[in-house]
Amino acid sequence: PDATRVALLSQTRLVELRLVRPGDHSLVGAIYRGRVTAVRREQSAAFVDIGQAKAGFLSLRRAAKPPAEGSALLVQVTKDAVDEKGAGLTDRPSIVGRYLTLRVGSPGLDRSRRLDPEALEHAATVLGAMDLAQDGFLLHPAAAEASDDELLAEAKSLVDSWAGLRDQGRTAPSVVKPAPDPVLRAIQDHARTLQSVLVDSADMLATLKAALEQTVPALAAK
């Protein structure tokens, strides 16, 4: 009752254990429509109200463009708040899929280090009709197992998802996309190698199946 435990087993050997306690839920990955409360050129930082106790921190050195004080801004949490410091933010969000990650504001195509260069060349051909001048993609290792149709379909789905998020609501601060569920994140991290998933909660089982049907359908059956 005091924690959710996620254990990764290789046959009977424990490989990894994650404990998720109430209140421990990370905000990393969540997307907010925030309000810029201050721009500090001398600190190369902007502070953004995302509805949390502390304003988030956006590095101007890494920002797509310098924000104006008082303006609304779409940001993604890259680091949880610590002590007196607010959450780390980026104005170049990433939308993660099974085979690809859409990288908003980062043009071009790149690959995971675990993926062969040939896979990148092939993906460039498959996605050749898409405009990558503004937003680009990162290929996951699982992309090597995807068909051309699956790769193209996911790329288009991620672009559509971002378009929907970008246009969602105008209130600032507000949550545009919540952070991934930590249990779901643990399963997705090992999507390529999982043989089966055992769940001891009917509610959690239903939640995971519904989410995986949308992101990694092959895992939903496991």
Side-chain angles (χ1 to χ4, degrees), residues 5-20:
R5 291 172 290 184
V6 185
L8 176 66
L9 302 179
S10 177
Q11 297 181 356
T12 59
R13 184 171 62 90
L14 179 64
V15 176
E16 181 182 320
L17 179 66
R18 303 186 189 186
L19 271 90
V20 183

Side-chain angles (χ1 to χ4, degrees), residues 25-37:
H25 188 24
S26 171
L27 293 181
V28 172
I31 298 176
Y32 291 86
R33 187 176 297 280
R35 180 76 61 187
V36 180
T37 57

Side-chain angles (χ1 to χ4, degrees), residues 15-81:
V15 176
E16 181 182 320
L17 179 66
R18 303 186 189 186
L19 271 90
V20 183
R21 293 186 172 87
D24 284 352
H25 188 24
S26 171
L27 293 181
V28 172
I31 298 176
Y32 291 86
R33 187 176 297 280
R35 180 76 61 187
V36 180
T37 57
V39 178
R40 300 284 184 260
R41 305 287 179 183
E42 68 280 5
Q43 295 177 266
S44 295
F47 294 90
V48 185
D49 179 10
I50 58 172
Q52 300 296 311
K54 298 286 184 181
F57 175 92
L58 173 68
S59 170
L60 296 181
R61 294 190 182 97
R62 299 178 181 177
K65 61 180 181 180
E69 196 166 302
S71 64
L73 185 67
L74 274 176
V75 291
Q76 186 171 45
V77 177
T78 58
K79 187 176 180 180
D80 284 314

